[in-house]
Amino acid sequence: MKKTLLLCFIHGFKGGDDTFGGFPEHLRALVSHALPKVDVRAIVYPKFETRGDLAECVSRFRDWLLEKVIDIEVSSSTPSPTIDPSVHIILIGHSMGGIVAADTLLAITSDLTIPSRPSSSSQTLSNPHPNPGPAINSLMFPYISGVLAFDTPYLGISPGVVAHGAEDHYNTASSAITQLSGLTGAIWGGSKAASEVDKDGKVKKEPVAALPAPSSSTDAPAPAWQKWGKLAALAGAGAAVAGGAAAAYMKREQITAGWSWVGSHLEFVGCLMKGEELRKRVSGLVTLNKELGVGWANLYTRLGKRALSKSDGVTIVGSVVGNQRTFCNLPGGRDKSTGGREYWSEAINDAAGDETGAHMSMFFPKDNPGYYTLSEDAKKLIIDWTTNEWYESSTGDADMSGIEHQEL
């Protein structure tokens, strides 16, 4: 029978059906061409509330996925779908969607409806009678072949996201203050005030000059038109300052976008603040990869040329946290339970100016020059995870139904 590989896309925090743009169909076409023996379908989980308890969100997604898989199994007349499913699934999550995918996999492999074996990773040679570790259900239903994450903060959000953002805002504010100082100087002190500020916005330190000579009593009084001209100039300058403030207010959403986005993430998704829980989740994914061969990878964004060209790669924050700017915290080499960098691959974006921008634009080729490289990397991972006995046993004609956008 013709078997089905289901690519299931899950958006992240405050995302929706448009999070992935045209990427689901693009990736489906690539994988379908590389795996002609199976019917490759792409399905996008509809927009959901990214707030409240994470476990409830995972439960709702799992129920939805189960319903979709059962529909396919029934339409394919699969003899024993729970024992030998014809549908294998790749869960593809962006940002927090990758955590929803991971927790779904961990929940399914924890269901012990039949006797299962404990994880061998919990056994040690030094203990001839080890305590049984967490049991793993190897007969998954639905059957998850892999979890492919895109820029998912499995170990939290990188400190550089906030630190670099703070420095950028500080530099912007300093520049604005300098410009405002020059403007007010020009208003109140004429060209002299402007001349006291150099091209870099720094005050020139000129030697103290002699006091000006007292004005002669015989000097002719200024004509009335000149007085009114000064008043008009002051009024115009005041309007310019007010206009600048109004423009800044109108752009307030853009100015604070990076801050509010990260703040909302931390406010509504508390799991990102629980370090031990984050490490435990990653450790669970590593165990499933080693024990059951379930694929797992995180393609994380890293800023490229544009971010470094801002200051030739040298910033105050960069000198402390480094200039390898990523949205995600990356694993270190010491903690073997998290698998090191083996499961993490960088996706460089040379067009993005900050971490949040790279994070949110990775599926749009006009904003991400590395889009097609990212697509190829994703395809290769999926092929590696699914080229097995299940794939080779697939026969029959494919159902080229393509992508589905579902509604709750």
Side-chain angles (χ1 to χ4, degrees):
M1 63 181 300
K2 193 72 176 184
K3 298 187 176 180
T4 302
L5 178 62
L6 188 63
L7 310 180
C8 183
F9 293 79
I10 314 166
H11 69 75
F13 179 72
K14 289 187 176 179
D17 297 347
D18 57 348
T19 291
F20 298 98
F23 183 70
E25 173 55 24
H26 177 64
L27 183 59
R28 188 204 69 80
L30 291 176
V31 174
S32 181
H33 183 266
L35 300 174
K37 288 189 174 184
V38 294
D39 175 22
V40 181
R41 303 186 190 184
I43 190 169
V44 181
Y45 186 50
K47 185 174 182 178
F48 60 95
E49 284 292 334
T50 51
R51 64 178 64 199
D53 185 46
L54 176 63
E56 292 181 3
C57 177
V58 171
S59 178
R60 289 193 297 270
F61 168 73
R62 184 179 172 185
D63 290 342
W64 175 87
L65 179 63
L66 179 62
E67 180 182 342
K68 301 305 174 187
V69 171
I70 288 176
D71 287 345
I72 298 174
E73 295 286 17
V74 170
S75 64
S76 300
S77 301
T78 306
S80 303
T82 58
I83 304 299
D84 184 19
S86 69
V87 179
H88 280 200
I89 305 160
I90 303 293
L91 296 180
I92 302 174
H94 174 240
S95 191
M96 289 300 301
I99 291 183
V100 172
D103 284 3
T104 300
L105 171 63
L106 292 170
I108 291 174
T109 54
S110 298
D111 286 345
L112 303 180
T113 55
I114 59 176
S116 300
R117 56 185 174 80
S119 168
S120 63
S121 63
S122 63
Q123 301 178 5
T124 59
L125 295 175
S126 60
N127 186 357
H129 302 289
N131 293 326
I136 297 177
N137 178 16
S138 58
L139 296 177
M140 293 181 281
F141 188 78
Y143 191 93
I144 311 297
S145 293
V147 171
L148 179 55
F150 289 89
D151 222 21
T152 293
Y154 282 116
L155 296 175
I157 296 177
S158 170
V161 174
V162 177
H164 283 289
E167 185 172 19
D168 287 343
H169 284 295
Y170 172 78
N171 292 337
T172 300
S174 298
S175 176
I177 291 173
T178 298
Q179 293 179 29
L180 182 59
S181 298
L183 178 60
T184 54
I187 294 172
W188 302 112
S191 60
K192 181 176 182 297
S195 66
E196 292 175 351
V197 180
D198 63 18
K199 63 180 181 179
D200 296 323
K202 297 180 180 179
V203 177
K204 296 180 181 178
K205 295 183 179 179
E206 300 288 347
V208 178
L211 292 174
S215 58
S216 173
S217 58
T218 59
D219 290 347
W225 65 264
Q226 186 174 339
K227 294 180 181 179
W228 285 109
K230 288 183 178 180
L231 289 175
L234 292 177
V241 173
Y249 178 77
M250 294 298 291
K251 296 289 185 181
R252 66 191 185 282
E253 293 185 358
Q254 296 180 22
I255 294 173
T256 60
W259 289 102
S260 62
W261 198 91
V262 174
S264 297
H265 230 97
L266 299 178
E267 180 180 358
F268 293 113
V269 193
C271 69
L272 295 181
M273 302 294 291
K274 303 174 182 177
E276 184 58 34
E277 183 178 302
L278 293 172
R279 287 187 291 273
K280 184 178 179 181
R281 178 182 291 107
V282 171
S283 178
L285 292 171
V286 171
T287 297
L288 291 177
N289 175 259
K290 295 183 180 300
E291 296 288 330
L292 300 182
V294 178
W296 173 56
N298 189 19
L299 303 179
Y300 65 92
T301 57
R302 179 171 73 79
L303 299 189
K305 297 177 182 177
R306 181 180 175 188
L308 292 179
S309 65
K310 284 183 177 181
S311 55
D312 296 326
V314 180
T315 62
I316 297 174
V317 175
S319 63
V320 178
V321 302
N323 282 307
Q324 295 295 308
R325 296 179 59 177
T326 62
F327 180 82
C328 302
N329 248 345
L330 302 181
R334 296 182 179 180
D335 189 356
K336 300 300 182 182
S337 65
T338 60
R341 296 285 181 89
E342 178 183 351
Y343 301 93
W344 302 64
S345 298
E346 67 178 17
I348 301 174
N349 187 330
D350 285 324
D354 58 67
E355 294 87 346
T356 304
H359 179 76
M360 299 179 71
S361 65
M362 63 190 310
F363 302 113
F364 299 92
K366 68 181 182 65
D367 301 316
N368 178 18
Y371 172 85
Y372 294 102
T373 300
L374 179 73
S375 303
E376 284 295 321
D377 291 343
K379 181 197 75 173
K380 291 176 183 177
L381 287 167
I382 294 173
I383 292 172
D384 183 56
W385 297 341
T386 55
T387 305
N388 48 31
E389 184 180 351
W390 170 84
Y391 172 74
E392 295 298 338
S393 64
S394 179
T395 58
D397 296 328
D399 176 13
M400 305 301 292
S401 55
I403 187 172
E404 298 179 33
H405 288 273
Q406 300 292 325
E407 296 183 359
L408 291 176

